[in-house]
């Protein structure tokens, strides 16, 4: 049966459809609810087809399911769609392999196919990893393995004491860091035509070091420094004294 319009909706049905259209977790169910509401407002089937880029038969099926089953007819039953290639146990095993070798999905994929004889795509692995709350992000450098925990705890306590003295206006506590800039660009990776090479203009230049100081009240002072930045420079608690060590230009 080809349904042209949804002609009758009760107030409670309109409310339920609006809630589904705005809040249902599945896009397809939201689209179906919206289509019913549009039809009730006398939008034509071709117009709804154009909005959701579907055929007339699909829209008619939505309408028929609504007429037969109401709001339940707009939700897919469990078990529909293509079954997954991997079982739940295999997915858990795959995630564990990725956690052991997090930087190379291709090696994980090759070993997984070798052990189980199951061929899956990189996109499938990525989807399973996301479902397991894994994310692709930059790896952080760390010296934690070389840390002397007793000295670290002592330093942590000293920092807490300094923060407390700053709160009591006994001193102005600043944090310091430096960075440098030159005209020599970094060399990134890029997709390039075989036999061709993308070139980045490069020029020799002096390195400009920027020293930054920020205190607990978010006051920031920065200086451009044309000399080497070493421990003697960084140990000064007052950034205004840096000028006596070399050529420094305040950037404020």
């Amino acid at each position: 049966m080809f349904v042209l319009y949804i002609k009758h909706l009760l107030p409670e049905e309109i409310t339920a459809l609006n809630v589904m259209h705005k809040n249902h977790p599945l896009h397809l169910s939201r689209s179906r609810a919206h289509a019913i509401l549009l039809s009730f407002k006398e939008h034509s089937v071709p117009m709804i087809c154009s909005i959701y880029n579907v055929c007339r038969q699909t829209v008619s099926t939505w309408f028929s399911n609504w007429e037969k089953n109401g709001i339940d007819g707009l939700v897919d039953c469990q078990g529909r769609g293509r079954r997954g290639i991997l079982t739940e146990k295999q997915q858990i095993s795959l995630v564990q392999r990725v956690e052991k070798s997090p930087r190379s999905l291709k090696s994980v994929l090759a070993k997984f196919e070798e052990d189980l004889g199951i061929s899956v795509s990189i996109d499938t692995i990525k989807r399973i990893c996301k479902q397991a709350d894994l994310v692709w992000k930059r790896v952080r450098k760390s010296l934690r393995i070389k840390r002397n925990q007793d000295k670290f705890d002592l330093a942590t306590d000293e920092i807490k004491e300094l923060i407390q003295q700053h709160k009591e206006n006994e001193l102005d506590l600043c944090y310091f860091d430096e960075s440098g800039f030159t005209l020599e660009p970094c060399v990134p990776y890029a997709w390039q035509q075989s036999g061709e090479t993308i070139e980045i203009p490069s020029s020799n230049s002096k390195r400009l070091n920027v020293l930054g100081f920020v205190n607990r009240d978010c006051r920031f002072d920065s200086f451009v420094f044309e000399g080497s930045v070493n421990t003697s420079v960084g140990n000064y608690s007052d950034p205004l004294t840096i000028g006596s060590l070399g050529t420094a230009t305040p950037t404020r």
Side-chain angles (χ1 to χ4, degrees):
M1 179 179 66
F2 196 92
V3 181
L4 293 179
Y5 287 104
I6 302 297
K7 298 180 179 179
H8 304 288
L9 287 179
L10 300 175
E12 55 268 26
E13 291 176 330
I14 295 175
T15 300
L17 287 168
N18 277 311
V19 170
M20 174 177 277
H21 169 49
K22 294 179 180 179
N23 301 320
H24 198 278
L26 298 180
H27 171 73
L28 189 54
S29 294
R30 294 196 303 270
S31 301
R32 293 166 178 167
H34 191 212
I36 302 299
L37 292 170
L38 291 176
S39 179
F40 179 65
K41 295 178 181 178
E42 299 186 352
H43 286 67
S44 66
V45 170
M47 185 178 297
I48 296 174
C49 291
S50 177
I51 292 174
Y52 286 106
N53 194 27
V54 294
C55 66
R56 292 173 61 89
Q57 185 58 49
T58 297
V59 174
S60 179
T61 300
W62 294 351
F63 292 173
S64 297
N65 289 340
W66 166 260
E67 294 286 349
K68 293 177 183 178
N69 302 307
I71 201 78
D72 292 337
L74 306 181
V75 181
D76 289 331
C77 299
Q78 292 291 333
R80 291 193 57 180
R82 193 187 74 171
R83 295 190 178 277
I85 298 175
L86 304 179
T87 65
E88 183 177 353
K89 185 177 180 180
Q90 290 170 337
Q91 292 184 27
I92 294 174
S93 173
L94 180 60
V95 171
Q96 291 173 344
R97 291 168 184 257
V98 172
E99 290 176 338
K100 291 180 180 178
S101 182
R103 298 182 60 187
S104 177
L105 290 184
K106 289 185 178 180
S107 62
V108 172
L109 177 61
K111 184 63 176 175
F112 189 78
E113 292 180 353
E114 179 184 343
D115 292 344
L116 300 181
I118 300 176
S119 179
V120 294
S121 67
I122 290 291
D123 289 338
T124 297
I125 295 182
K126 290 180 179 179
R127 184 172 63 254
I128 293 173
C129 288
K130 290 179 180 179
Q131 292 172 351
D133 203 27
L134 298 180
V135 295
W136 177 261
K137 62 180 182 179
R138 186 185 298 274
V139 176
R140 179 184 297 179
K141 294 180 180 179
S142 175
L143 297 175
R144 189 188 303 269
I145 193 173
K146 299 181 179 180
R147 175 189 297 172
N148 183 311
Q149 192 62 41
D150 292 336
K151 292 183 178 180
F152 180 83
D153 293 338
L154 180 61
T156 301
D157 293 337
E158 291 177 351
I159 292 174
K160 290 180 180 179
E161 183 178 348
L162 291 172
I163 292 174
Q164 184 60 37
Q165 291 178 358
H166 175 84
K167 291 180 179 179
E168 296 174 357
N169 296 321
E170 296 180 7
L171 53 81
D172 185 15
L173 179 61
C174 292
Y175 299 94
F176 163 80
D177 201 357
E178 66 90 15
S179 185
F181 303 90
T182 70
L183 295 179
E184 298 179 12
C186 64
V187 182
Y189 286 87
W191 291 102
Q192 304 171 58
Q193 289 289 338
S194 178
E196 298 181 7
T197 303
I198 298 175
E199 296 182 354
I200 301 176
S202 179
S203 175
N204 292 328
S205 70
K206 292 183 179 180
R207 178 182 174 88
L208 294 180
N209 293 305
V210 179
L211 311 186
F213 299 83
V214 61
N215 70 359
R216 298 281 299 179
D217 299 322
C218 295
R219 191 194 77 222
F220 178 73
D221 294 287
S222 61
F223 295 84
V224 176
F225 198 83
E226 295 183 357
S228 299
V229 178
N230 50 35
T231 305
S232 62
V233 175
N235 278 340
Y236 277 80
S237 60
D238 182 2
L240 296 179
T241 62
I242 293 180
S244 63
L245 299 177
T247 303
T249 305
T251 60
R252 288 189 298 166

